[in-house]
Every structure is written in structure tokens, then in C-alpha cells.
Amino acid sequence: MPKVTVDGVEIEVPQGATVLQACELAGKEIPRFCYHERLSIAGNCRMCLVEVKPGPPKPQASCALPTSEGQEIRTDSEMVKKAREGVMEFLLINHPLDCPICDQGGECDLQDQAVTYGRGKSRYDENKRAVTEKYMGPLIKTVMTRCIHCTRCVRFSEEVAGVDEIGALYRGETMQITTYLERAASHEMSANVIDLCPVGALTSRPYAFEARPWELKKTLSIDVSDACGANIRIDSRGREVMRALPRVNDDVNEEWISDKARFQVDGLARRRLDKPYLRRDGKLAAATWEEAFAAIAKINPGKSVAVVAGDLLDCETMFAAKALAGALGSSLLEGRQTGLSYDCSNLAAVNFNSGLAGIEEADAILIVGSQVRWEAPLVQSRLRKAARRGAKVFVVGPEWETTYPATFLGNDLAVLDKLSKDADAALKGAARPALILGGAGLGKGALPACLALADKYKLVRDGWNGFNVLHMAASRMGGLMLGYAQAGGIADLVAAKPKMLISLGADEVDYTKFADSLIVYVGHHGDAGAHAADVILPAAAYTEKDGTYVNTEGRVQWADKAVFAPGDAREDWTILRAMADALGVSVGFDSFTELRAAMAKAVPALGREGLADYGALPKGKAGASGTIEAYPIKDFYLTNPIARASETMQRCSAELLHGADFAEAAE
């Protein structure tokens, strides 16, 4: 490890570190616009200039300069100060004085660094250049006159997203950043360029002119739009959620989130259930809480009760419902709404065992029945990293547009019994082979065959477990840990013909099969479940309650309450606790603290944050059959009731997937 001196202090730095990284290790703040830790080095903004000896007697870009033994680095010399002032002066030559009306105001790198490193006034007297706005779709608003050509957005699109959607035209002073033929950016993670842009050139179109950052309350939360459990920050004002932003967590989402996770939040204020409803004479009519609970008590279901859990639920809600069903004498619990019935006796067999970050280390990957790009965009970006490092990727299932080289082996699951020569050789010769089984594969019963492949190709070895199941529901792993899985899936609930079905935000269930049951819907949106219900009890969405979530890799994470639920809606656990009183049973808790303690006692892994230990992988059995005709997700933007209520997600679906045209209003 080379030793360098930074402002008179000698430190050791890792081999291959840049001068900028060395300065940060020494506790020095280096200004930058183009440099980003997760993108390639461009070296084109020149804001990170430092003085380095030995070397030419001029300031040098620290982001692109490697460290070497004996370097003397100065970050505070007069030469450095003057150079940074000059760079800032050049950057501001064409930048408009838009701060009062710019959505980046208050959280703008250019503002902050202009104050800290700028001259205070400009000597430029010529006309500023102007650039026409570019249309980048329904999510990204552009004011390209503000662009300083850092190219972060270009590098993100090419390197992380894996699509050439954004690039540069022309050269020098006439250079412009734009999308190809000014078409909409349609990648599932396209809006991350909003966070990357250090100025106000790319901002959020749905959030434009809505709020200033100092007006917002910031709450730590977990995304529920898929099973990855991305760490997010909910920004709210009063009782309204204004936006969702990513938080840095290298083990889960790095610092990216999907467009759906970011923009579905406007659906939290639309189509909400804010009062109880009862079905009277075939029509739903508003009621009081007392009337709703009286109707439930009147049915007197005894132990003939079943519970089906939706995809967005926290573990506390599911545990409370399980306690209620148990107190009534029932164990009919199911969370796999669409009818999946794979074996859940050993959760190691249905877990993403390599970890989301670990899949990057795989050197041969077999994907079975999963359109990863729509089911888990964050995993897709990890797979792209692995492919760029040389991993070979093979896919069993219908073809879809990957962002990395991949070989499709066909739709017939029989191929699992005898893989192609290339796939067989790649998996046998891999140091870290991996398999990813998705929802379409689980639905066709491919789990035993994939477990057999784990044994055949030694997916589990010292320091490595490459057997992975990729779920699509945020509540799935938590539900499985709490026992929300019948041997025959939801068919077991149908066969039991329960007097009462408690639906916990379950909107994908075929309720026609429960025609003889009293359907009690505990949820937050007027979606399919509410339309089928006999009793509607308005509940809280994920931003309106504290909750525990378990992602597809078995990582237990906690989310905090950001805002209050609207109207008469209540937190789910309080509704279930009140329902227990109405039915005359005891569930053993009277507060959220007692509920969490009881849950942690029943399932200790849910009482602490971090990866749960599910034990060793079970043995499988070869002999897969069946054909994967299609993948479960038909529309990436409309997969849950919150997204379906979102105007932004509806427009994305119409414009980006179905080619609808939207007229732009004149500004």
C-alpha cells in the first residue's frame, strides 16, 4: 500500500486508489461534478483540481490521477484555490440565474460549491448560450440550458442501466445532452439520473414546483414495489407524501431505486379507502366502525376463518392476523395470491441465498422462469455487473430484452434435465455458479429440478451459495416465515369453504371462488379486493405505519411511519385487534410494542435487522416438465394497487409500453 502525504499528513492508501480517494481518506473534502463512486471516471469537469508533487507545476484532476509512493498532495494551496475559482467561473458562464424557480434549489451541488469555491462575481459580459429543452418522457423534466456536461446521466445509462438512451451531440460550446432522437427514456431505472444530476438540468417531472427540500419531513422507509426491499427516504409535507428518494445501502440497492418505487407514491392519495363500507342489497355503502364490526360478529364464523395476505404487507400485520385466526382455531393462512403452491418446508430452498450484492460475484448464471428486468430491476443491474466482469448468462423461458449478453435455452423446462453443452460447461467450470428461479418457474413446479441442479453443479460450496429464488412480492419472505403457506396454496382455502375470508390488501385473488364466504377486506385502496368485499375496513399504506419487511434474500428491515392515514383509516394491527374484541377472542397484545415483542418471540429472526439464517439447502429431484408460455408481470408499471392508482404510473404504462401520445402544454 503506497504512502502519500495530504496537506502535511502521511497516510497509507489502497493500491490503485486515486488522488481524490486518498484526499477523502485523509478527511479532506474535494469538490466534484463529474466524478461518482459508482460510475467510470470521466475527468471532464476539472473541479477536483489539486497540486501534486512530484509532477508538473500545475493543478491536476485528482479523480483521474492514480496515487503512487511518496506523492505530496496539497488541497489548500493558493494555486488550488485559484484554479477552482477559475473552473467555477467557467462553469457559471452559461448557467442561467434560475435558482429561485429551479427544483434543484436547496439541494444543488452547483449552488453549494459556487458558494464555497467560487469567486463571488463573474467577469463574463457576453451573451449566455441557450439550449432547447429535450423530451425525456413522463418522469424526467429537462432544462438543458442548466447542463454543465458532467455526463453522469450518460454514464449511468450505459454502465448501470445498460441501455444507450442518453448521449451527447456536437462538440465544444455546442455540445448537448439528449436522448436518442429525443424519445422518452424508457428503462425501468431511468429516473436515477435525477439524483445523479448535480445541477437542475434533469429534475423530476411529477414533482416539479411541488415543494422545497426545507419544507419536507424526511422518514426512513423500505420500498414495497418489489421483493428487493430497497432502502428509501419518504419526504412528506403535512399528511401528504411528496416524493420517495433512494438511501445508500451497498448490500441491497446501492443508491438506486426503480422508477416504480420512486413515482408510485402519488397513488397514495388517490382511490383511498377512508371509511368503512358494508355491502347492502348488493351495493357497498358507507358505514361506521361499530356497524362494520357488528356485521362481522353476526356471522359468528367460529374456526371457519381463512386469511389471505397481499403483496405489500408488513410482518406485524400478518402476525396480528395469524394471532386472530389462531385464537378462533384456524390455521388457514396463505400469502401466494395467484395460486402458487411450491414446497415451503425449508425456507433455504426459496431464498435468494447468494444475496443481492453477492450475485455480482457469480461467473456462470442460469435464470429459470424470470424476467428479471421487470421483476427486480435492482437485481438486473447486479447481473449486468456480473456479465461485464465476464459471467456467462443462460435463460430458460420466453425471450426478453436483456441488457447484457445472454443465451436463451428455450421455453421447455425439460431442458433442465439436460442443459446445452455451453451452459453445462460454463456451470461445471465456474468457481461461483449461480441459479435464479423466478415466479414463472415456481408456477410450473421447477423448484425440485432446480434443487437437483444445485447438487449437480455444486452451487453450494465454501463461502458460496448460488441457489436463488427471486420473489416479486415485498411480503413474501416475511409471510413464509410466519406460516402463510398451505401445502396446496390458495386452493386449500377454497376447498375449506370458510365462513369468513379476511383479505389483507389482497387484490390479485380470484374472489369468485369464495362466493359463499363473508369477505372482509382490510386494505388501503379501492382496488379489486375492495370491489369483491362484503365488509371494507380502511387500513394504512406502507408510508403510514411502522413495519418490518423481509426481502427476497431474507434480510429483515424496519420502516418508520411518515404520515397519518387519511380519514377514518387505521393502522392494520389496530383493526385486527378490534376485530378480535368483536369476535370475543384474545390475541395477546394491546399495543404495537407488545405485538412486535410477541412476533419476535414467535419468530426470533423477525426481532432483529439483518439476514435471517434458514439453514442448509435441501435435496432436489430431477425431472422437470412443462412449458413457460409467459411471465407473471404483464405491465411493469401497474403491478400493485398503489401503482394502479398513480397517475404517473398510468401515464408511463400508456406511453412507454403501449405507445400512447400525450400532448405537451405550452409553457
Side-chain angles (χ1 to χ4, degrees), residues 40-354:
S40 62
I41 294 171
N44 54 11
C45 79
R46 319 310 286 180
M47 195 63 208
C48 63
L49 295 173
V50 296
E51 188 179 347
V52 181
K53 296 179 181 178
K58 65 177 183 179
Q60 299 188 62
S62 60
C63 69
L65 183 66
T67 54
S68 60
E69 183 70 35
Q71 278 179 333
E72 293 182 25
I73 304 166
R74 292 292 304 277
T75 69
D76 55 0
S77 67
E78 191 60 33
M79 177 196 290
V80 171
K81 183 174 181 293
K82 189 174 180 181
R84 289 176 180 170
E85 284 182 355
V87 169
M88 180 58 70
E89 193 173 5
F90 274 116
L91 287 174
L92 294 176
I93 276 177
N94 284 315
H95 197 81
L97 295 175
D98 273 355
C99 299
I101 54 125
C102 177
D103 276 308
Q104 198 85 344
E107 47 191 8
C108 173
D109 292 350
L110 189 63
Q111 277 184 332
D112 297 340
Q113 293 183 39
V115 169
T116 307
Y117 304 102
R119 282 172 49 91
K121 63 179 182 178
S122 174
R123 296 170 289 182
Y124 187 72
D125 290 329
E126 306 300 322
N127 293 327
K128 291 178 180 283
R129 85 163 188 163
V131 182
T132 56
E133 312 309 352
K134 308 295 187 287
Y135 183 68
M136 291 193 180
L139 303 179
I140 304 169
K141 179 186 175 185
T142 66
V143 184
M144 300 313 293
T145 301
R146 300 171 186 162
C147 180
I148 61 170
H149 304 155
C150 70
T151 67
R152 281 185 179 182
C153 55
V154 177
R155 285 174 284 148
F156 172 84
S157 296
E158 292 180 351
E159 297 164 14
V160 179
V163 292
D164 294 328
E165 285 189 335
I166 302 177
L169 297 178
Y170 318 124
R171 302 177 66 184
E173 191 185 30
T174 59
M175 179 179 171
Q176 298 182 26
I177 302 294
T178 181
T179 52
Y180 178 63
L181 295 181
E182 290 198 31
R183 293 192 306 184
S186 58
H187 190 269
E188 297 76 21
M189 295 174 66
S190 65
N192 285 288
V193 299
I194 295 169
D195 299 327
L196 287 173
C197 185
V199 296
L202 304 178
T203 56
S204 168
R205 185 180 288 269
Y207 179 68
F209 309 126
E210 290 291 329
R212 286 300 196 183
W214 53 83
E215 300 176 321
L216 304 175
K217 184 183 78 168
K218 301 166 178 62
T219 308
L220 306 184
S221 189
I222 302 298
D223 170 47
V224 297
S225 65
D226 58 32
C228 292
N231 289 208
I232 60 174
R233 189 186 86 198
I234 298 295
D235 286 0
S236 58
R237 185 176 60 190
R239 299 185 67 158
E240 184 180 3
V241 172
M242 304 303 295
R243 62 179 180 177
L245 297 176
R247 288 188 286 135
V248 177
N249 187 328
D250 288 333
D251 293 328
V252 182
N253 59 305
E254 300 178 280
E255 59 188 84
W256 321 122
I257 53 174
S258 72
D259 292 349
K260 182 165 52 178
R262 185 186 300 267
F263 290 112
Q264 72 172 5
V265 293
D266 70 330
L268 290 167
R270 296 177 173 88
R271 298 186 189 172
R272 288 303 301 268
L273 299 172
D274 58 357
K275 63 183 70 172
Y277 286 85
L278 283 177
R279 190 172 295 279
R280 294 171 174 146
D281 299 325
K283 293 183 179 181
L284 288 168
T288 64
W289 281 102
E290 291 76 14
E291 290 172 337
F293 286 131
I296 292 171
K298 185 178 180 181
I299 193 73
N300 189 21
K303 65 178 182 179
S304 183
V305 174
V307 181
V308 58
D311 291 345
L312 312 181
L313 284 183
D314 55 297
C315 293
E316 286 83 358
T317 298
M318 290 186 282
F319 180 79
K322 180 181 180 180
L324 174 60
L328 292 168
S330 172
S331 61
L332 289 173
L333 312 171
E334 183 56 71
R336 298 164 295 180
Q337 300 181 61
T338 54
L340 296 177
S341 59
Y342 48 85
D343 181 16
C344 300
S345 57
N346 186 331
L347 293 186
V350 291
N351 187 48
F352 204 93
N353 293 291
S354 71

Side-chain angles (χ1 to χ4, degrees), residues 3 299 302 361 388 399 433 505 530-531 555 567 578 582 591 664:
K3 291 182 179 180
I299 193 73
E361 308 300 324
R388 293 182 72 190
E399 293 193 16
H531 286 285
R555 185 179 299 277
S591 69
E664 291 297 304

